[in-house]
Amino acid sequence: MNRQRSSPREWSSQAAATAAQAAVALLALVILTGCRKPAPASAAAAPAAADVVVTTPRAVRVPEYLEVTGRIDAESVVDIRSRVTGYLTKVAFRDGQFVAKGDPLYEIDDRPARAKLDEAVGVIEQLLGEQRFLKVQVDRYEKLVAKGAASRQDFDSYTAKLEENAGALIAARAQHESARLNVEFCSIAAPIAGQIGRTQLQVGNLITQDQTTLTTIVSVDPIFVYFNVDEPTFLRLMGRARQSGQGPGIGPRATVADVGLVDDVDRTYPYSSEIEFLNNQVDTKTATITMRGRLANPYSADPAAPRPPLFRPGMFARVRLPLGDAVERLFVPEAAIGSIQDRKIVWLVGADDLVSASEVTLGQKLGSWIAVAAADPARPLTAADRIVVRGLQRCREGKPVSPSPADETSLDLTSLVVPVTASREPAIEPAAPAVEPSPEPHPDSQPAAAPPPPPSAVESLPPPGNGSP
């Protein structure tokens, strides 16, 4: 059967009708879709709780201390200079040697000074001879004037010359004393006991009077530690001293502070220092006042048993100054302390495992633990609080966490001990007893053979204070 072929006009009408039906269907679909309620979206996944490690603060009853830094300084520091000008002829010590007061140090060529001394002696002798002659003349003319055999003018002339001679003799004796002192000053001795530095000049150098520094001596035992205390702490110390009669610089009831050096990393403060000096004014620039503690610093210069001093001037020191009676403080691991700008915080985990920040003030340290107190008295810390010690960076205010208790072995509980006031000091072995001098032998007696020294005998230098080695 033959299919009837459509004309172009009929084909166009059919296409238009089909397009219209498709548009109506699409519009109906859009309307139906817009009228429907949207399907509920799947609930957002809740954030996972951050894993943190917590522990509780530990209550420890500890004395109140102030920990400050200080510097070790010598009691006396003396620059050795010459009182005369001359050439150096002898250096009588080794660099760094321990010397006693009066030990010889330097010798200067004293021949010019001795020549001046001899000249002064000659002038005195000459004036004494003139004095004897003038006394004889005065006595003689006194008798002649009484008899009328000599003029009064001659008598007065000899009397005036005798008085002039007396004045010249006083001046000559002063010159003699000056020349004698210059001879004495040609030998320079140690003005204090202590340790000497290195010599700045050797034999043959010209020394200028009162200008050339030859070396320096610092005293060794005792030695001082200087430190500064802020004004509020000073007022607290003075208030306590006024009540108890015991405090810094109060004679036999002075405060005893503990001292440690740079090697005291565990803050044990092994040395004891008596605070014997308190400055008489507060520094207006720093609002602090200077205190000074006295430290024993024994030593031995005996080569058989040398014991150098421990403390040296210029050393850094840590000072722990007692402020009052023991009080109970809460301590947390130092790792639990966080910072928000210039504030110190700890993260607290509540009963609902939500974390919150609490601003704290820091206090005394015991090993790796540090005393804390809430900055807001209305929200104090307690020993039952859970403190985050690990995972601080994952904590966010009001967010949940997954806490787990810290392992006790990782908290360094052995360092959480009450500090004890130190009484240990550097010590030396007792000095060997002095050897009694043997009596002088009789001239007619035969000299006895000296007994052989024991095998352990060692020739040694005299101890400090009995002459330089």
Side-chain angles (χ1 to χ4, degrees), residues 210-226:
D210 297 331
Q211 294 184 14
T212 306
T213 300
L214 299 174
T215 188
T216 302
I217 300 179
V218 296
S219 61
V220 177
D221 187 19
I223 204 163
F224 293 142
V225 54
Y226 287 88

Side-chain angles (χ1 to χ4, degrees), residues 182-208:
N182 285 339
V183 172
E184 181 180 328
F185 292 156
C186 288
S187 297
I188 302 175
I192 62 171
Q195 186 175 19
I196 198 166
R198 68 183 184 91
T199 181
Q200 301 297 326
L201 295 176
Q202 301 294 340
V203 173
N205 284 274
L206 176 64
I207 299 173
T208 304

Side-chain angles (χ1 to χ4, degrees), residues 349-375:
V349 179
D352 52 1
D353 287 348
L354 298 181
V355 71
S356 62
S358 176
E359 184 179 354
V360 294
T361 57
L362 306 183
Q364 182 180 347
K365 289 185 62 177
L366 294 179
S368 61
W369 294 70
I370 187 168
V372 295

Side-chain angles (χ1 to χ4, degrees), residues 359-420:
E359 184 179 354
V360 294
T361 57
L362 306 183
Q364 182 180 347
K365 289 185 62 177
L366 294 179
S368 61
W369 294 70
I370 187 168
V372 295
D376 184 2
R379 299 173 57 191
L381 296 177
T382 66
D385 289 332
R386 293 186 295 174
I387 307 292
V388 178
V389 294
R390 193 175 305 163
L392 278 70
Q393 69 277 7
R394 294 191 289 270
C395 295
R396 298 293 182 271
E397 185 70 29
K399 299 298 183 181
V401 292
S402 177
S404 59
D407 185 5
E408 294 291 322
T409 60
S410 65
L411 295 180
D412 189 22
L413 293 175
T414 57
S415 66
L416 192 61
V417 294
V418 179
V420 179

Side-chain angles (χ1 to χ4, degrees), residues 274-412:
E274 178 181 327
I275 308 303
E276 63 167 19
F277 168 74
L278 178 65
N279 203 5
N280 57 2
Q281 56 185 337
V282 175
D283 190 340
T284 57
K285 296 180 180 179
T286 61
T288 59
I289 191 167
T290 301
M291 294 185 181
R292 182 181 72 193
R294 183 186 182 94
L295 286 164
N297 194 28
Y299 68 98
S300 172
D302 186 357
R307 183 67 61 86
L310 175 64
F311 302 106
R312 301 298 175 99
M315 294 177 70
F316 169 85
R318 294 187 182 95
V319 181
R320 187 173 65 188
L321 185 67
L323 298 180
D325 298 330
V327 293
E328 189 174 86
R329 301 288 185 190
L330 291 179
F331 284 80
V332 300
E334 201 169 5
I337 306 299
S339 299
I340 296 180
Q341 294 181 352
D342 59 342
R343 297 180 302 161
K344 297 299 181 181
I345 63 167
V346 293
W347 290 99
L348 304 178
V349 179
D352 52 1
D353 287 348
L354 298 181
V355 71
S356 62
S358 176
E359 184 179 354
V360 294
T361 57
L362 306 183
Q364 182 180 347
K365 289 185 62 177
L366 294 179
S368 61
W369 294 70
I370 187 168
V372 295
D376 184 2
R379 299 173 57 191
L381 296 177
T382 66
D385 289 332
R386 293 186 295 174
I387 307 292
V388 178
V389 294
R390 193 175 305 163
L392 278 70
Q393 69 277 7
R394 294 191 289 270
C395 295
R396 298 293 182 271
E397 185 70 29
K399 299 298 183 181
V401 292
S402 177
S404 59
D407 185 5
E408 294 291 322
T409 60
S410 65
L411 295 180
D412 189 22

